[in-house]
Amino acid sequence: MDIPGGRRQHKGPIPRVGGLALLLTLVGLHAVAGSRSPYTPLEVGAVATMGILGFLDDRMDLRARWKATLGLAVAIILAAGATFHLVAQGLQAFEILGITFPPLPGITFALLVLLFWCIPHGFNLIDGANGLAIGFALVTLGSLAITGAVHPMLMGGLAALLLLNWPKARLFLGDCGSLSIGLLLVISGLKALAMPRPNHLLWLFAYPIVDVLTVVVIRLLLRKPVSVGDRNHLHFQIKDRWPALANSAVPYLLLLAAMCASEIYLAGPWLVIPVAGLAALLTTSAYFVVLKTRPVPAEAASLPQAGPVTSPVPSAKPEKQTAWAKNLTVFQWLVAFFLVTRR
């Protein structure tokens, strides 16, 4: 049961076993489908392992370092299998964000480890509002379906969970669901889009990538531990700063995610849609980072004090006073970095 308190502001305890139910269903369907399943036994085993890790976290509230370490181990095993498969097919040079990587197994392995490790945890972090994580998963799978990579079992299960999670939540995914589904999305996207244009994956997962970068930048600028949870995610900030638009936070973010993901199937002048979606996403992120890290001017003393007049003490160090400007520079580079993926 998910008990309200702290960052959790829902009303009353809510079960968080939706992901467990979906995971057990998918594993059973995989066993029945046999060779017709779109996933290999190694991939199913990795997804099940992430689900077990998430289930233990739901039950015992594991430390972030344990989740990260075990998730890294799963990513290494999956990346080794995927690299072996790519080498067997004939590894070729590929380009990511304008950088051309030579066809070396070591480089491919390192990038795959990063992909299998970061995206599932990023998907786990956006699971903080009713319908957001499940909706993003459906947007991702729907975008892949347009390219011809259809996953009816997973989409059907997610659609069923969405009915229980939005607009009023009666069931949560839990970490069991978010970690396992996040890894499934990465595997599905990699199978459909990895070659010859791995840049497609960055557009497909642009929303969780930008959301995680937003939180990390805010915590670093405020000198807070990166592993400590807070309400700096985009969905939380929209609800906290714009209460009148709280109900629109999830549709707004899913719209931007869908616009970014449309890059994988649009071409020509239609590419203005994903570029506009990414620009809006980065602008929203930069706006909240600036609001969160800008210096607060010191208030004048309310009562007169006796004694000689002295110059006021600065309320913040010069470094902190320019934190917002530094942050704008960071996001300007991010915008430039992402836009080079345009065809």
Side-chain angles (χ1 to χ4, degrees):
M1 303 295 288
D2 198 307
I3 309 300
R7 291 178 295 136
R8 300 179 173 91
Q9 297 186 359
H10 53 274
K11 297 180 180 180
I14 296 178
R16 48 184 174 185
V17 294
L20 179 62
L22 180 61
L23 179 62
L24 294 175
T25 302
L26 292 175
V27 171
L29 290 173
H30 171 80
V32 173
S35 60
R36 294 175 296 165
S37 173
Y39 306 107
T40 66
L42 176 62
E43 292 165 348
V44 173
V47 170
T49 301
M50 290 296 285
I52 293 172
L53 172 62
F55 176 76
L56 293 176
D57 186 42
D58 289 331
R59 290 290 295 167
M60 298 184 293
D61 196 16
L62 299 177
R63 290 187 176 183
R65 69 180 66 175
W66 286 107
K67 288 198 298 182
T69 302
L70 294 175
L72 178 61
V74 172
I76 290 174
I77 295 173
L78 266 180
T83 303
F84 178 81
H85 178 71
L86 291 174
V87 170
Q89 289 185 332
L91 194 59
Q92 300 177 355
F94 55 92
E95 183 179 301
I96 299 178
L97 294 176
I99 303 174
T100 301
F101 293 89
L104 298 176
I107 295 178
T108 302
F109 171 75
L111 292 175
L112 286 174
V113 169
L114 192 64
L115 179 70
F116 287 130
W117 187 37
C118 294
I119 298 300
H121 289 282
F123 183 80
N124 179 37
L125 292 175
I126 68 171
D127 185 23
N130 294 346
L132 181 56
I134 300 175
F136 175 75
L138 288 171
V139 166
T140 302
L141 293 173
S143 301
L144 291 175
I146 295 176
T147 67
V150 184
H151 298 82
M153 293 188 297
L154 183 54
M155 293 185 71
L158 287 168
L161 285 179
L162 184 62
L163 296 177
L164 298 172
N165 187 252
W166 184 85
K168 181 179 180 181
R170 289 168 287 170
L171 190 67
F172 285 161
L173 276 180
D175 283 0
C176 175
S178 58
L179 289 175
S180 58
I181 293 171
L183 185 56
L184 267 176
L185 295 179
V186 175
I187 294 172
S188 302
L190 190 65
K191 286 177 176 289
L193 306 173
M195 296 299 173
R197 291 184 58 83
N199 279 326
H200 285 321
L201 292 172
L202 297 178
W203 287 96
L204 191 65
F205 298 111
Y207 165 52
I209 291 173
V210 172
D211 184 79
V212 171
L213 286 175
T214 302
V215 175
V216 170
V217 169
I218 290 176
R219 293 175 186 175
L220 290 177
L221 290 176
L222 295 179
R223 299 181 181 180
K224 294 183 178 180
V226 176
S227 59
V228 177
D230 52 35
R231 293 182 65 85
N232 287 326
H233 295 278
L234 296 180
H235 54 275
F236 283 143
Q237 295 220 54
I238 292 175
K239 291 186 175 183
D240 293 344
R241 294 185 179 275
W242 302 328
L245 302 177
N247 294 331
S248 303
V250 170
Y252 171 70
L253 292 173
L254 291 182
L255 174 62
L256 296 187
M259 291 174 66
C260 292
S262 67
E263 192 273 346
I264 69 176
Y265 55 83
L266 294 179
W270 292 103
L271 284 175
V272 68
I273 295 177
V275 171
L278 181 61
L281 187 62
L282 289 174
T283 301
T284 303
S285 173
Y287 174 76
F288 286 132
V289 172
V290 171
L291 286 182
K292 201 75 176 182
T293 59
R294 66 180 179 179
V296 179
E299 296 181 358
S302 57
L303 296 176
Q305 298 180 358
V309 178
T310 58
S311 59
V313 179
S315 60
K317 296 181 180 180
E319 292 80 11
K320 290 187 177 180
Q321 292 177 342
T322 59
W324 65 273
K326 294 180 180 179
N327 189 67
L328 280 180
T329 302
V330 170
F331 276 91
Q332 287 170 356
W333 276 106
L334 283 175
V335 172
F337 224 36
F338 271 100
L339 290 182
V340 297
T341 63
R342 293 179 60 185
R343 297 178 186 178

